[in-house]
Amino acid sequence: MSASAPLPSTVESEEHQALRRAVGDLARSFGPEYFRRKARAGEPVDELWAEAGKAGYLGVNLPAEYGGGGGGITELAIVLEELGAAGAPLLMMIVSPAICGTVIARYGTAEQRERWLPGLADGTRRMAFGITEPDAGSNSHRLTTTARRDGTDWLLSGRKVFISGVDHADAVLFVARTEDARTGRLKPALFVVPRDTPGFEYRPIPMELVTAERQFQVFLDDVRLPADALVGAEDAGLDQLFAGLNPERVMTAAFALGLARQALDVATDYARTRTVWDTPIGAHQAIAHPLAQCAIEIELARLMTSRAAQLYDLGHHQAAGEAANMAKYAAAEAACRTVDQAVHTLGGNGLTQEYGLAALLTATRVARIAPVSREMILNYVSQHTLGLPRSY
Ligand SMILES: Cc1cc2nc3c(=O)[nH]c(=O)nc-3n(C[C@H](O)[C@H](O)[C@H](O)COP(=O)(O)OP(=O)(O)OC[C@H]3O[C@@H](n4cnc5c(N)ncnc54)[C@H](O)[C@@H]3O)c2cc1C
């Protein structure tokens, strides 16, 4: 870790607390019913996205000179967590400002920054992110999407899967290999591909999720791109990719924590008042203690998430990578356990549409699987934190 910047504090500033309150107020003005209605209809939550963009929340991490808030992933994670806690999570924040915005801000040319960042910052433009491939899965070193040169242009071919929000994105930032680095350890090359580019096709994947965003298979068939579709250097290595992937992990943690807090609120409200014998069910320790454990686990994961975000924002990139993995793991586990307990606390009502908890069962599972699965994080910690031999 470099000694250049101070280590993160665990005490939240007044400014961050005010940001939490303001974002929560905005999300509550739409309410969970708005979000669920849209999600069940498979419609995007454009109204909320637009208001959050206008208020500066979607681009709070992006440079001020391009219309952003000049903050970092710390602030962006606060926004996403509070939206989720109020019942209105914006999944595409994980992708558009956090991955794509960060990578373009850090590695894009002046022209690329000018073209994309103002729209990503105020939410008027959205960018999806495509790394996952059907035959590579968790092993990114097996990616086969390839870019080959044709004069000054690039021709991009390959297949991606589970790409969120393609239908409402202006473009997708794809992770590919160049032809020169076609095999072996991944040397990622990143390309911005506008959705209307010829040869770019996408098809929705039917998912058992109640979310406003859909996932897509993407087919890239000799998609012709100008030279400046490439973001950063073609052989910059993994650092350039992880500039986006570490924020993605922190944001996924924030997403999970928002959902966990939402579920815990619903469950504790219910347990306080629901009476089937002589006392509210919350007076029974079999109901109260598991909820108390969830509250503790959520709080621990929130601390880890804020630490990971601050390490990233302060430029401690290696420590941020480890912390972001741990935060994503802790938040996803806390969220899965909390939602499970919340559903149980409500009995039959845990599965009604009125209370909205059952939909969170699958939503929180997403955080355990994506963007990197629980097992791959355990592999990382075994190997890098504990120095154990690699098993795969
Ligand atoms: C709702 C949703 C949205 C998504 N959005 C995006 C997106 O916008 N962009 C994008 O690029 N991707 C996206 N993804 C894809 C996601 O990142 C992948 O699903 C994830 O990386 C896991 O890959 P996989 O599904 O191929 O699982 P696999 O890699 O096939 O893994 C299957 C299982 O095997 C386990 N496993 C694999 N290897 C090992 C090992 N070495 N040791 C132990 N266990 C192992 C895994 O932990 C997992 O449990 C999304 C996925 C979902 C579900």
Side-chain angles (χ1 to χ4, degrees):
M1 190 186 293
S2 106
S4 56
L7 283 169
S9 144
T10 53
V11 180
E12 194 155 79
S13 68
E14 287 285 328
E15 207 183 358
H16 286 168
Q17 291 175 36
L19 177 63
R20 282 192 190 280
R21 284 192 297 274
V23 173
D25 288 345
L26 173 69
R28 278 185 293 276
S29 75
F30 281 84
E33 297 75 21
Y34 157 84
F35 185 85
R36 278 183 223 139
R37 190 177 62 247
K38 289 277 185 176
R40 289 199 176 110
E43 290 170 8
V45 281
D46 281 343
E47 301 81 2
L48 173 59
W49 182 271
E51 288 301 316
K54 255 190 253 162
Y57 299 148
L58 300 180
V60 71
N61 63 316
L62 295 175
E65 61 180 308
Y66 296 103
I73 293 302
T74 302
E75 288 76 18
L76 197 67
I78 286 174
V79 172
L80 183 56
E81 184 190 332
E82 293 307 318
L83 290 171
L90 292 175
L91 180 87
M92 288 307 284
M93 283 183 66
I94 300 176
V95 176
S96 193
I99 309 178
C100 304
T102 302
V103 168
I104 292 171
R106 279 185 57 185
Y107 295 101
T109 60
E111 216 226 313
Q112 288 166 338
R113 293 201 295 266
E114 196 58 61
R115 189 178 332 142
W116 290 107
L117 293 184
L120 297 185
D122 68 12
T124 52
R125 301 184 93 180
R126 263 175 269 200
M127 201 179 281
F129 175 71
I131 181 167
T132 309
E133 295 186 4
D135 296 331
S138 298
N139 186 358
S140 300
H141 298 295
R142 282 214 178 147
L143 294 189
T144 56
T145 295
T146 306
R148 69 187 156 87
R149 283 190 187 279
D150 187 42
T152 58
D153 289 351
W154 292 96
L155 290 173
L156 188 65
S157 288
R159 202 175 139 204
K160 299 283 179 184
V161 71
F162 295 126
I163 311 307
S164 296
V166 177
D167 53 342
H168 297 289
D170 298 274
V172 183
L173 181 68
F174 283 113
V175 182
R177 294 167 174 275
T178 58
E179 211 175 19
D180 301 343
R182 206 173 187 163
T183 53
R185 224 179 130 67
L186 179 66
K187 276 204 225 150
L190 305 172
F191 292 89
V192 175
V193 184
R195 192 167 49 106
D196 53 8
T197 311
F200 176 166
E201 287 180 18
Y202 55 100
R203 214 175 284 156
I205 303 172
M207 306 286 283
E208 294 284 8
L209 293 169
V210 184
T211 55
E213 308 78 12
R214 292 190 292 167
Q215 280 65 48
F216 294 83
Q217 287 195 72
V218 174
F219 306 89
L220 302 164
D221 184 13
D222 268 349
V223 175
R224 182 170 291 280
L225 300 168
D228 75 348
L230 177 76
V231 180
E234 64 184 89
D235 57 356
L238 290 172
D239 285 355
Q240 189 175 281
L241 178 59
F242 274 91
L245 297 190
N246 286 331
E248 182 185 33
R249 284 162 200 194
V250 173
M251 290 296 284
T252 306
F255 175 81
L257 289 169
L259 301 186
R261 284 174 52 199
Q262 182 192 336
L264 189 61
D265 279 352
V266 173
T268 45
D269 279 352
Y270 195 89
R272 238 178 254 126
T273 52
R274 170 73 173 160
T275 306
V276 284
W277 302 99
D278 293 332
T279 53
I281 56 168
H284 304 307
Q285 290 180 342
I287 290 291
H289 282 186
L291 292 176
Q293 279 174 315
C294 291
I296 293 168
E297 286 172 26
I298 291 171
E299 209 48 44
L300 287 170
R302 291 180 77 207
L303 270 175
M304 194 68 215
T305 303
S306 106
R307 181 178 166 80
Q310 289 180 52
L311 283 167
Y312 183 87
D313 290 337
L314 292 171
H316 299 296
H317 292 300
Q318 201 169 339
E322 182 187 55
N325 271 313
M326 290 183 172
K328 208 284 299 192
Y329 176 96
E333 293 310 303
C336 288
R337 249 193 308 278
T338 301
V339 169
D340 186 63
Q341 192 57 41
V343 167
H344 200 67
T345 302
L346 269 71
N349 276 329
L351 299 176
T352 59
Q353 292 203 341
E354 182 188 350
Y355 287 90
L357 287 179
L360 299 183
L361 286 168
T362 44
T364 46
R365 291 304 286 233
V366 174
R368 198 183 253 170
I369 296 165
V372 54
S373 72
R374 174 177 60 179
E375 290 68 33
M376 293 313 293
I377 291 179
L378 293 175
N379 285 335
Y380 176 93
V381 172
S382 306
Q383 215 185 309
H384 296 281
T385 308
L386 304 179
L388 293 170
R390 187 181 161 128
S391 69
Y392 57 101

